[in-house]
Amino acid sequence: MLDHIPYFSYILSAFIGIGLAAATGFRVFLPMFFVSLASYFHWIPMSENFEWLSGLPALITTGIATIAEILAYYIPFIDHLLDTISVPMAAVAGSVLFASQFAGLETFPQWALALIAGGGTAATISSGFAGIRAASTATTGGLGNPIVGTTETAGAGVMSILAMAMPVVAAILAVLLIILVIVFGRKAWKKLRGRKEPHDTL
């Protein structure tokens, strides 16, 4: 019945893309691994231009990168180093995964939507958690960072699965996440700046 709704396939693709982009805001490679795994076993379709994601080399590469990324966030200093590059990497990954869901669009609108919706969603969530991690380091001396890291990994996994299994729910959660991350991310940065300012005045 829903198939008769005009542009339903594009709407559904947008929901899936937003969910996957939100997942890359938590972890860059985990969502790509899930998409590669699902497309490799033909659980989800993959557009012609992104068939490389469904190949065995991509599956192995993203799997290794996923493990390395998850473990790296439990190593002091390395987690902060990753935070400095996580936002642009998440934006790229979010854009790629969003674009991979659109097979019928021309190149320009496909990538324009991917950069704005996919890249923007991923970058917003990634930058918000970078702020939360920085505040965690300042307030707990880094002891709270593993909790933040575990939360991010869990969020990436849950959002990736929801995006492919329940895309409408994933899209709604993505919007809520963006709002929450902006609110709490700002509070985290303000708290961090508030702790630094007294030292700066000495």
Side-chain angles (χ1 to χ4, degrees), residues 30-121:
L30 183 58
M32 298 191 75
F33 171 71
F34 272 120
V35 171
S36 182
L37 180 67
S39 59
Y40 179 79
F41 286 104
H42 306 289
W43 296 334
I44 62 171
M46 186 59 60
S47 63
E48 183 178 348
N49 294 333
F50 292 90
E51 286 184 350
W52 56 271
L53 265 175
S54 60
L56 186 58
L59 180 61
I60 294 174
T61 302
T62 55
I64 294 173
T66 295
I67 295 172
E69 182 183 23
I70 291 173
L71 293 178
Y73 271 100
Y74 290 100
I75 303 174
F77 177 74
I78 299 296
D79 60 345
H80 296 295
L81 181 62
L82 287 175
D83 277 339
T84 62
I85 60 174
S86 64
V87 176
M89 287 181 64
V92 171
S95 298
V96 169
L97 290 183
F98 189 96
S100 70
Q101 301 306 305
F102 287 87
L105 286 181
E106 295 181 2
T107 302
F108 178 76
Q110 179 187 32
W111 283 104
L113 280 172
L115 290 171
I116 296 171
T121 297

Side-chain angles (χ1 to χ4, degrees), residues 130-179:
I132 293 172
R133 189 187 307 280
S136 171
T137 300
T139 56
T140 68
L143 296 177
N145 288 10
I147 297 176
V148 177
T150 302
T151 301
E152 290 174 322
T153 301
V158 171
M159 285 300 297
S160 297
I161 294 172
L162 283 178
M164 292 181 283
M166 305 174 67
V168 176
V169 175
I172 294 173
L173 284 178
V175 174
L176 293 176
L177 275 171
I178 291 173
I179 295 172

